[in-house]
Amino acid sequence: MSIMIAPSLLSADYGRLAEAAKLAEEAGADLIHVDVMDGHFVPTLSFGPQLVASLKKEVKIPIWAHLMVEKPETFIPQFYEAGAGWLSIHLEASQHIHRHIFQMKELGLKAGIALNPGTPIHLMIDILKDLDFVLLMTVDPGWGGQTLIESTRNKIRLLRNWIQGQRLKIPIAIDGGVTLDNMEILIDDGVTIFVAGATIFGHEDPASVIKKMKEVVASRQKP
Ligand code: DX5
Ligand code: ZN
């Protein structure tokens, strides 16, 4: 499975988001990660579907909305109409995760479940085979620039073993605290999609960081 890089605009300059997305695409990013926060599921506020609609006109790579909101199902149609290609909703926020995953899939979206660091992955064992990807939070959601919680690495490895054991091919994405220094061990743990905000957009030359991340991936994928 090829490993993907998904820059998170949460740490970009909010006056220049389209520019940041285009720069990321040109540097080789595979997806643009847009964090949607409602001030309830997480204490902070961030972006909505209008941003996705604007970015959609600027980049060709898929836009991935990470919904950190209560009642995520009420927003699925809005993000679909705005042009998101990937959508992840939190297991902790959905009372009917099966219905909501299929609500996304029936629209043709890549549908994923996001899981907070403290939520056991066993809670999604029955829905796993229906997912297009899993998003494991490696920090508590709400802010960029936090340090990866080391205990989440056990979950990555456990999930990878489940996926392999069932002969499934489901990408494992992680979100939070990804750096150029920890990517290698995380690839070994089983990560196939890296979301990264502060590491990329906190740097004076974000494109160079994306290129370096691609180099780490390439060196790790060699036989
Ligand atoms: C956090 C967000 C992340 C955030 C990651 O709640 O979901 O996508 O941008 O930030 P970094 O990579 O800075 O830890
Ligand atoms: Zn995110």
Side-chain angles (χ1 to χ4, degrees):
M1 195 179 297
S2 59
I3 295 172
M4 297 198 272
I5 308 293
S8 165
L9 296 182
L10 195 66
S11 290
D13 178 344
Y14 289 6
R16 296 162 180 256
L17 291 171
E19 217 173 288
K22 279 198 281 194
L23 174 153
E25 180 175 54
E26 278 160 24
D30 300 282
L31 299 156
I32 298 293
H33 185 90
V34 173
D35 288 300
V36 180
M37 303 176 172
D38 67 351
H40 295 282
F41 181 73
V42 289
T44 34
L45 289 166
S46 64
F47 310 126
Q50 297 85 350
L51 175 65
V52 172
S54 295
L55 295 175
K56 181 73 185 159
K57 296 182 206 144
E58 305 287 340
V59 295
K60 293 189 185 64
I61 54 176
I63 299 169
W64 167 13
H66 171 197
L67 304 191
M68 285 162 277
V69 303
E70 289 182 357
K71 296 195 184 301
E73 67 277 12
T74 57
F75 295 98
I76 292 170
Q78 292 182 42
F79 280 93
Y80 166 72
E81 279 158 29
W86 291 42
L87 215 53
S88 41
I89 61 173
H90 271 262
L91 184 66
E92 303 87 354
S94 163
Q95 292 186 344
H96 298 284
I97 195 72
H98 182 275
R99 179 185 299 155
H100 301 151
I101 287 296
F102 278 88
Q103 188 184 344
M104 294 191 274
K105 287 173 73 116
E106 279 160 19
L107 290 169
L109 295 162
K110 293 273 186 209
I113 287 180
L115 226 60
N116 284 334
T119 305
I121 58 169
H122 304 79
L123 292 176
M124 62 175 187
I125 195 161
D126 293 317
I127 189 85
L128 187 62
K129 68 173 179 20
D130 296 312
L131 302 177
D132 294 311
F133 67 99
V134 175
L135 175 58
L136 294 181
M137 294 306 300
T138 37
V139 298
D140 284 305
W143 293 272
Q146 303 181 76
T147 303
L148 183 135
I149 298 169
E150 190 61 24
S151 61
T152 59
R153 290 185 54 205
N154 281 332
K155 291 168 78 172
I156 299 168
R157 292 189 289 256
L158 184 55
L159 181 60
R160 177 199 57 194
N161 292 343
W162 280 4
I163 290 172
Q164 286 177 350
Q166 294 185 52
R167 299 189 187 286
L168 298 169
K169 288 201 170 6
I170 303 172
I172 301 175
I174 62 163
D175 189 358
V178 171
T179 66
L180 280 166
D181 292 331
N182 63 18
M183 281 181 72
E184 287 195 2
I185 51 162
L186 292 162
I187 291 171
D188 293 345
D189 286 339
V191 174
T192 46
I193 304 176
F194 287 96
V195 177
T199 288
I200 293 174
F201 293 110
H203 193 279
E204 59 180 19
D205 184 359
S208 74
V209 180
I210 295 170
K211 285 176 189 156
K212 280 189 193 137
M213 293 176 91
K214 303 276 288 184
E215 282 167 22
V216 174
V217 166
S219 71
R220 220 55 189 179
Q221 279 189 321
K222 277 186 195 143

